[in-house]
Amino acid sequence: MVIILVYVDDLLITRNNINMITDLKGILNRNFKMKDLGELIYFLGIEVLRSQEGILLNQLKYAQELIQYAGLSETKVALTPLEQNQKLTTAEFDEVIQQHQEDTLIEDKTVYQRLIGRLIYLTHTRPDITFAVSHLTQFMQNPKQSHIEAAMKVVRYIKREPRLEIFLKAINKHQLVAYCDSDWASCPMSRRSVSGFYVQLRDSLISWKSKKQCTVSKSSAEVEYRSMTAVTSELVWVSGLFKELEISVTEPVRLFCDNKAALQIAANPVYHERTKHIEIDCHFVREKIQGLITTEYVSTIDQLADVMTKALGSQQHSHLISKLGLKKYCYTSNLRGSVERIIWG
């Protein structure tokens, strides 16, 4: 099998047979004017380093350019992306509740929009800022001074350690693990909840998401179950992708949730008035529990997806990020840019 990833005029080619790549390059060269850059080192702002232990992904150069673009090269660093318990609201909401503050609209909203756009791209290798960026995107239309200050704090947090990397370990046994969580009625304007999840291939982070739910839920169990439905959909897609790539994945997939009520709803086949409004979600999850997934309880302290649903204190934030394997790795490199040995991590 040979796989080609195409982005405009850039191509990545991988395979399980080196001869197929040689043949493919010959076919492409006969039909198009192309240049072979050799092994992948840098692609779309993402640096790729290899070793016998696995692959490292980072956006160090992009992060440094972002810090310089924001003009924060000489400022102090922040320990977390967002201030804990900070409630950001829109100007329209402030008028409705008649809250008069000195928090005025910024004159040029494109400054805020461009900064958030740059932060969005950085989330490709920085899941630790995903919730903060997702939260700040809802103020793109009419940003206030508090919003630009919060966005600048995200940049100051990046400045603390611009080279946080995702480590994809080289493994033989492919076992998927997922964590899902939610923050009930956290939006002060709409009282919608935030869902978040992580998907790992053994100890390697491969998928994550933070998003405000589309409907208002009347209980924390309901929002947790909707979050469980979202990660189950992702697991169905990831499992299908692996099968298409002829990669054997061990089933069932372990899905961790910290809400016992949601776990009981998933296990209990009896419907009642409290769950009939989420009946489709219940049927979907229970159908997958029969073969694809198995649900397990995890304590809130060790719930990795917690960092995707709310702003945490510096200690808990650092604890969860380290559990995800997102850290600065130390290694020695050869002249070609490949990693010879990972010293720790």
Side-chain angles (χ1 to χ4, degrees), residues 6-11 34:
V6 183
Y7 183 84
V8 190
D9 59 349
D10 295 319
L11 282 76
M34 301 184 65

Side-chain angles (χ1 to χ4, degrees), residues 59 118-127 129-130 133 208:
Q59 290 176 275
R118 288 171 179 260
L119 288 170
I120 289 174
Y121 192 73
L122 190 58
T123 60
H124 282 89
T125 59
R126 294 293 298 266
I129 65 170
T130 300
V133 175
W208 56 88

Side-chain angles (χ1 to χ4, degrees), residues 100-113:
H100 301 287
Q101 298 178 346
E102 297 181 358
D103 190 11
T104 58
L105 296 173
I106 61 176
E107 294 182 0
D108 186 4
K109 63 182 180 181
T110 60
V111 174
Y112 180 82
Q113 293 170 345

Side-chain angles (χ1 to χ4, degrees), residues 21 66 95 105 138 219 227 255 319 342:
I21 282 194
L66 174 59
E95 292 177 0
L105 296 173
Q138 60 185 323
S219 70
S227 177
L255 173 56
H319 169 71
I342 296 176

